[in-house]
Amino acid sequence: MTSQFRRSIGAMLLAAAPAWAFAQGEPVKIGFMATLSGPAAALGQDMYDGFMLGIENAGGKLGGATVEVIKEDDQLKPDLAVQTVNRFIERDQVDIVGGITFSNVMMAIAKPLADSETIFVGMNAGPAPLAGERCDPNFFFASYQNDQQAEGVGKYATDKGYKNVYVMAPNYQAGRDAVGGFKRFFKGNIVGEVYTRVNQPDYSAEIAQLQAAAPDAVYVFYPGGMGINFIKQFRQAGLLGQIPLMSVSSFDGSTLPALQETAIGAISGSFWGPDFDNAANKKFVADFEAKYGRIPSQYAAQAYDAAMLLDSALAKTDGNAKDKAALKAALREADFESVRGNFKFNKNGFPVLDMYVFEVAKDDKGRVSHKTLQETLPGHSDSYLKECPL
């Protein structure tokens, strides 16, 4: 019997199998990868915790199907991530790959994912090329495109009347996207644009240069441990409270437990906050706090939404993840209650989002968290949609 004949017989048997067989038989395999070690470990851990809570709240299954989650740490090393994704695809034969914390990792694994036509559900990283010319019909980002949050903060800075802003970010894809997005919607002058090393621990020299530039406000993108170090040094220099500090993905639920009152007064841009007043979000926040003993971060919220997205899609395919065309069509419908409220996909697999700004402040329980200030860009699509050939 030739290998081609065996493949043909296998395909016919798969097509003939009743839908209930998939929910009752082999589990849906999901390869989950995130940054789970090093200075950014809190980001990946929140993603994993949010995703697993979503599966738990869906009854321990997704769309009625038993789920096997294979968890891996990319260690913020793109070459290691590529090896892991290839193992997911070739050895583990996963149905879906999900997660990914950092955009340099996402860019590294995009080609093997695309070449294998594996369905991918992103839970954080949203690099610009994958929203534009390298968009892929198998990629669904349950998070955001990197520029979107920054664009909301740029709009906020313009509305506040800031004329001269100093910007800083680490030198990698998401850092450049975060600066590019801010500049796209900020109508004033950029009086300093500085890119630092990824995971750089000391910003004292850069902060001294910033202070000398005497800007009206400062905008930064420093996720994880980078954000903790930056704002501590910014406050030590006596600048927090003197110069308005705006950010994305820097002073959030992943870093506030370490920063506490050090970050009070800082401004963050996002599409989700723990104080959002909708039923899905109230349940998510309450369940997350009860299970993990902390206020969830945006990373957890995105991953929870990813689980709910998969639950809704697999329910429409009767738990069948092998029929990729049907599963992709169901994912694109995004028929679930999002913790952020409105959620729908554009043709490039990135969501349309309502953007907000938040202030780091104490909540009604006296805990340091995010307080919603205002909406900045309602129904906001990413800026690369027009470049997507799909």
Side-chain angles (χ1 to χ4, degrees):
M1 183 181 294
T2 67
S3 60
Q4 183 177 359
F5 182 73
R6 283 196 298 268
R7 286 196 298 271
S8 298
I9 291 294
M12 287 188 290
L13 289 173
L14 183 63
W20 58 261
F22 295 101
Q24 299 295 325
E26 292 186 4
V28 174
K29 283 189 176 183
I30 301 174
F32 175 93
M33 183 167 62
T35 302
L36 297 164
S37 58
L43 281 60
Q45 189 61 50
D46 259 24
M47 289 167 63
Y48 182 73
D49 289 346
F51 186 61
M52 297 309 292
L53 178 63
I55 295 175
E56 180 179 319
N57 281 0
K61 297 182 177 183
L62 291 177
T66 302
V67 178
E68 179 185 345
V69 178
I70 304 170
K71 174 186 175 186
E72 294 289 349
D73 176 13
D74 61 41
Q75 301 177 34
L76 195 42
K77 296 177 181 177
D79 55 344
L80 176 62
V82 171
Q83 294 172 23
T84 302
V85 163
N86 286 331
R87 188 166 64 249
F88 279 160
I89 296 166
E90 296 166 9
R91 186 194 72 183
D92 301 322
Q93 296 186 333
V94 301
D95 300 297
I96 299 157
V97 171
I100 312 304
T101 313
F102 281 82
S103 289
N104 54 340
V105 172
M106 185 67 237
M107 290 304 298
I109 67 169
K111 188 176 190 306
L113 283 173
D115 288 348
S116 65
E117 298 186 352
T118 300
I119 291 177
F120 172 75
V121 177
M123 303 181 198
N124 187 55
L130 301 186
E133 59 185 15
R134 289 183 59 185
C135 64
D136 190 280
N138 298 297
F139 292 3
F140 299 87
F141 291 84
S143 51
Y144 63 105
Q145 194 281 314
N146 290 343
D147 299 40
Q148 284 177 295
Q149 297 184 121
E151 289 167 347
V153 179
K155 175 67 161 53
Y156 171 80
T158 297
D159 292 345
K160 291 288 288 184
Y162 298 140
K163 302 299 183 185
N164 301 298
V165 172
Y166 199 98
V167 302
M168 291 178 60
N171 189 20
Y172 75 112
Q173 182 69 52
R176 292 187 290 273
D177 287 349
V179 170
F182 178 84
K183 290 165 64 177
R184 190 173 294 118
F185 278 73
F186 175 57
K187 304 307 179 184
N189 301 314
I190 302 297
V191 294
E193 184 172 332
V194 175
Y195 294 93
T196 53
R197 298 190 317 275
V198 175
N199 284 337
Q200 178 174 317
D202 185 4
Y203 301 93
S204 55
E206 288 84 0
I207 290 173
Q209 294 171 358
L210 178 162
Q211 189 171 12
D216 297 334
V218 174
Y219 165 76
V220 301
F221 167 78
Y222 281 120
M226 293 182 284
I228 294 172
N229 291 335
F230 177 84
I231 197 167
K232 284 182 175 179
Q233 293 163 27
F234 193 78
R235 183 174 283 281
Q236 287 167 1
L239 300 182
L240 191 59
Q242 299 299 315
I243 303 176
L245 178 62
M246 305 172 291
S247 76
V248 294
S249 303
S250 305
F251 323 125
D252 54 27
S254 69
T255 56
L256 291 181
L259 289 168
Q260 293 299 318
E261 295 189 5
T262 300
I264 285 180
I267 300 296
S268 288
S270 180
F271 48 82
W272 172 85
D275 63 351
F276 274 17
D277 188 17
N278 66 70
N281 190 57
K282 287 181 176 180
K283 176 174 174 52
F284 161 64
V285 172
D287 290 350
F288 192 95
E289 288 188 29
K291 188 173 182 66
Y292 301 114
R294 64 186 189 274
I295 301 171
S297 70
Q298 176 181 309
Y299 303 96
Q302 294 167 164
Y304 183 87
D305 262 0
M308 296 297 98
L309 168 67
L310 283 166
D311 181 53
S312 68
L314 285 165
K316 293 187 177 209
T317 66
D318 294 315
N320 180 5
K322 303 301 181 186
D323 185 343
K324 290 186 177 181
L327 182 56
K328 286 190 293 183
L331 285 167
R332 193 162 297 280
E333 289 178 13
D335 187 15
F336 72 103
E337 296 297 321
S338 170
V339 299
R340 65 197 82 177
N342 298 325
F343 187 104
K344 65 178 180 179
F345 283 118
N346 267 320
K347 68 175 184 178
N348 61 358
F350 282 85
V352 179
L353 296 169
D354 299 328
M355 305 308 302
Y356 297 81
V357 289
F358 305 82
E359 181 179 7
V360 178
K362 289 187 177 181
D363 65 12
D364 56 6
K365 296 180 182 178
R367 303 171 303 177
V368 176
S369 186
H370 274 162
K371 175 184 177 182
T372 302
L373 285 185
Q374 66 186 68
E375 188 177 43
T376 55
L377 295 171
H380 184 51
S381 296
D382 69 86
S383 297
Y384 303 93
L385 177 65
K386 61 183 178 297
E387 300 172 17
C388 173
L390 293 178

